[in-house]
Amino acid sequence: NANINTTFTVNVSVTRVSVTGGSAASGTVGQSTGANSICATVTYNGNVSGASVFFSLPSGNTSTLSSSTATTNSSGVACISITTLPLTAGTFNVTAFAGQTQATIAVTAVAGPATSLTIVSGSGQSAGLNTLLSSPLVVKLADTNGNAVSGQTVVFTPGTNSGTVSTAATTGTDGQTQVNWTLGGVIGAQTVVASFTGVTSVTFNGTALLSSATVTASSGGGQSAVVTMAATNQLCATVTSGSGNVQGATVNFTVSPTGTGLSSVSPTSGTSGSNGQVCTTFTAGTKAQINTVTASVTTTGGAVTGTFTETSTFGTPTTLSIVSGNTQSGALNALLASPLVVLLVDTNGNPAIGQTVTFTPGTNSGTVSTAATTGTNGQTQVNWTLGGVIGAQTVVASSTGAASGTF
């Protein structure tokens, strides 16, 4: 035995020390590699038993060896284990020394179970409706020590109206995986949730913008409403982009002309539904006139509009007044030089159009021509031929619901 030991120590060459079966050892970070998992075989014209083999770790490696030495068995094999692997995943070499020769055994510390999922990049992007975002959504799966966990499936789930994502590959050696996100067709905030069993999920945020649109006055245009009254039907604007309706667009309604007591709409804004529509109610103001209601939507390229035309009409006539033609004089049975002119208006002073005013001469007060209905200015007139009696004569102008006036 003394001769065998002396010969081993002095003459064993590099080629006579090898790793059993060429197998590498592995284990979970912070855990053991398992009993007798780090082995070296000593040979010298055959296997050498009873030889001392020394094992060492790389400089700075925090692993713990079960022993720094072991004695070869009858097969020439000496084994130890690593009782505690480092907390950082990766591969390193344990060196086995016998005499003046050495060999290395590869040891891999693998990541532990996944405990965290984090966003690497891709959140906070924005683009047009139904548009593929320029950057992928990237996550990293890691264990409790921050080591990348590879070969795992992370599920990416778009939120409601948040479009679609591509199929994710399993996590790579860096623990990362990614998908491409095509935004949905609803304006505003959209989300994609990335999840993995047993860890807290993460949420990617994106914003769908309206890059172009068309606003159409779909229904309710061309109505008439009596002053201070609402139109019968709502005014509905439809927002479209490309070939589809736009959901989630903010539509603002304005009325012109503007001013105190003029026409209005309610509500003044709304968000388009799945049919792309927003509706409002038109209420006529106190002034009879033609109104323009504008539906406006803001896109990234500016505002786009659609318009409705609504008419505010006069209310019930309440006042009849003399405009001109009173207190004239002329010869008996003569036609007066100026016509008798009256104005018929409603309670807000709007001309009452197309109304009949009756002109009735008094006793011995001659005759009048036939009056037309009131015009757009609320006025009508007659010509008066005086009677054959000297002195004061009269004509009374009257309209239903209004106080009469006397010429």
Side-chain angles (χ1 to χ4, degrees):
N1 287 339
N3 289 337
I4 292 173
N5 288 339
T6 302
T7 302
F8 172 79
T9 301
V10 175
N11 295 321
V12 172
S13 64
V14 173
T15 59
R16 294 172 181 170
V17 178
S18 62
V19 178
T20 299
S23 298
S26 65
T28 303
V29 292
Q31 304 295 315
S32 169
T33 58
N36 299 322
S37 54
I38 312 298
C39 298
T41 300
V42 178
T43 60
Y44 179 71
N45 295 326
N47 295 328
V48 178
S49 64
S52 295
V53 179
F54 300 89
F55 297 88
S56 67
L57 294 165
S59 176
N61 189 283
T62 58
S63 298
T64 303
L65 300 177
S66 62
S67 175
S68 60
T69 62
T71 302
T72 58
N73 59 20
S74 60
S75 299
V77 179
C79 296
I80 64 167
S81 64
I82 295 179
T83 57
T84 307
L85 285 163
L87 297 179
T88 301
T91 299
F92 59 93
N93 291 322
V94 173
T95 304
F97 299 90
Q100 295 181 4
T101 60
Q102 66 184 50
T104 57
I105 304 97
V107 178
T108 301
V110 298
T115 58
S116 67
L117 182 67
T118 57
I119 292 175
V120 176
S121 62
S123 188
Q125 298 180 80
S126 61
L129 298 175
N130 305 305
T131 298
L132 174 66
L133 293 176
S134 59
S135 299
L137 312 184
V138 184
V139 294
K140 179 179 180 181
L141 192 62
D143 68 9
T144 189
N145 297 298
N147 297 300
V149 178
S150 62
Q152 303 301 306
T153 299
V154 176
V155 177
F156 292 81
T157 306
T160 303
N161 299 317
S162 293
T164 59
V165 293
S166 60
T167 301
T170 55
T171 53
T173 55
D174 57 359
Q176 295 183 15
T177 187
Q178 65 184 48
V179 293
N180 296 311
W181 183 10
T182 299
L183 293 173
V186 178
I187 295 172
Q190 299 190 19
T191 59
V192 170
V193 175
S195 59
F196 182 80
T197 303
V199 302
T200 302
S201 60
V202 294
T203 301
F204 290 85
N205 295 299
T207 303
L209 305 174
L210 187 60
S211 54
S212 64
T214 299
V215 179
T216 304
S218 300
S219 62
Q223 297 183 86
S224 294
V226 175
V227 288
T228 72
M229 301 297 291
T232 302
N233 300 312
Q234 283 195 307
L235 282 57
C236 295
T238 302
V239 185
T240 57
S241 182
S243 59
N245 296 325
V246 175
Q247 183 176 354
T250 298
V251 179
N252 295 301
F253 294 95
T254 57
V255 184
S256 63
T258 60
T260 303
L262 296 185
S263 301
S264 61
V265 290
S266 180
T268 56
S269 66
T271 302
S272 60
S274 59
N275 61 355
Q277 286 193 359
V278 178
C279 298
T280 189
T281 298
F282 171 82
T283 299
T286 57
K287 184 176 181 180
Q289 62 183 3
I290 294 176
N291 308 272
T292 298
V293 177
T294 300
S296 176
V297 171
T298 300
T299 72
T300 57
V304 290
T305 60
T307 57
F308 304 79
T309 300
E310 311 298 325
T311 301
S312 306
T313 60
F314 64 91
T316 301
T318 57
T319 304
L320 181 68
S321 60
I322 294 174
V323 176
S324 62
N326 197 20
T327 66
Q328 296 181 79
S329 60
L332 294 175
N333 303 309
L335 175 66
L336 292 178
S338 298
L340 311 184
V341 183
V342 294
L343 170 66
L344 184 64
V345 298
D346 66 11
T347 188
N348 294 296
N350 295 299
I353 303 168
Q355 304 300 301
T356 298
V357 176
T358 302
F359 292 83
T360 306
T363 303
N364 299 318
S365 292
T367 61
V368 292
S369 60
T370 301
T373 56
T374 53
T376 56
N377 60 357
Q379 295 182 13
T380 189
Q381 65 184 45
V382 292
N383 295 310
W384 183 9
T385 299
L386 293 173
V389 177
I390 296 173
Q393 299 187 23
T394 60
V395 171
V396 175
S398 61
S399 179
T400 303
S404 60
T406 301
F407 292 87

